[in-house]
Amino acid sequence: MAMIDSVVSTLSLGHDHRFFPSTNPVAHIVGTNSGKAGDEASLDAEIITTTGRGIETTYVYIDGGTSNPFANWLIWAAKASDAELPKVHSLSVGAPEGAVGDVIIQRMNTEMAALGVRGVSIVFASGDSGYQPEQKFGAASPYVTSVGGVYNGEMRQSGLQADSLTTGGFAASKHNTAQPWQAAAIASYTKIGGAKKGGGVRGGGLSKWRRGVEGGR
């Protein structure tokens, strides 16, 4: 299991966790980690090592201050041997497709597709900005699994529904169009009842939205 994130608390990489009981520490660290982390990245590390007891975890540092924070992760993954490359990569970061730009989106899609050929599953958080005409990348990529949140009421009294904060994991960019293997899942999804927002995904109403739930899972 690989966790790709910004700076993580040194405590969160070891047994002395701040948020959860002690578990197996992170086994490998790729890149520089100052240990002066915010809570979110540290919480990611602790949840992964807590729920994945006994599973070796690799932490890969990414620098959010660069033009492409994902570059050092993808370069490391491309160079890693099959024996050392974790088979599940988890990322809870992203940016609007327009901010990422077409060139980076295309190159990242190529690299993430290549990782898929090697048997790697890439999981991105869909975002917590609610509905957005411009979706978050890499969650919008058709070569990853996008994960959002669900909600069943303050007192757990309702049926599960998509949380209003979940961005969705769809796509607006022409470079993130749905792939043939997603057709059945998309067809099933668009038959689900409930209100749907039209006009935001790939510039059209519901008919275009149905054709384009691009990058969705």
Side-chain angles (χ1 to χ4, degrees):
M1 175 75 180
M3 184 197 82
I4 296 87
D5 219 321
S6 53
V7 182
V8 174
S9 163
T10 303
L11 295 179
S12 299
L13 298 178
H15 282 296
D16 189 14
H17 284 180
R18 295 187 295 167
F19 302 104
F20 289 94
S22 296
T23 57
N24 49 299
V26 169
H28 308 287
I29 298 176
V30 178
T32 302
N33 180 58
S34 69
K36 299 177 181 178
D39 286 345
E40 186 171 343
S42 298
L43 185 60
D44 288 345
E46 295 188 18
I47 288 178
I48 285 174
T49 55
T50 299
T51 57
R53 288 175 181 264
I55 298 175
E56 192 171 271
T57 302
T58 297
Y59 159 71
V60 182
Y61 168 72
I62 60 175
D63 183 356
T66 62
S67 59
N68 182 6
F70 303 106
N72 58 323
W73 158 56
L74 291 171
I75 292 171
W76 163 77
K79 292 182 176 180
S81 67
D82 288 344
E84 63 183 340
L85 183 65
K87 294 301 183 281
V88 178
H89 293 208
S90 173
L91 302 94
S92 62
V93 291
E97 291 168 300
V100 176
D102 291 349
V103 172
I104 292 178
I105 285 177
Q106 291 180 80
R107 180 57 188 268
M108 283 187 62
N109 277 339
T110 298
E111 297 297 334
M112 292 189 292
L115 287 175
V117 171
R118 296 177 65 185
V120 173
S121 295
I122 303 173
V123 182
F124 266 90
S126 67
D128 54 6
S129 304
Y131 172 78
Q132 297 289 324
E134 209 172 64
Q135 294 286 297
K136 293 291 182 70
F137 190 83
S141 171
Y143 304 104
V144 309
T145 298
S146 176
V147 179
V150 294
Y151 177 73
N152 63 345
E154 294 288 348
M155 302 300 291
R156 301 183 180 179
Q157 75 279 13
S158 307
L160 286 175
Q161 56 187 309
D163 192 288
S164 60
L165 291 177
T166 294
T167 303
F170 306 120
S173 169
K174 63 183 179 181
H175 301 297
N176 292 323
T177 54
Q179 301 300 303
W181 61 82
Q182 298 170 312
I186 291 172
S188 174
Y189 180 83
T190 55
K191 293 176 182 177
I192 297 174
K196 302 183 180 73
K197 290 183 178 291
V201 178
R202 286 302 300 275
L206 186 56
S207 61
K208 285 190 176 181
W209 185 89
R210 286 181 182 276
R211 291 202 306 272
V213 187
E214 298 150 343
R217 293 292 182 270

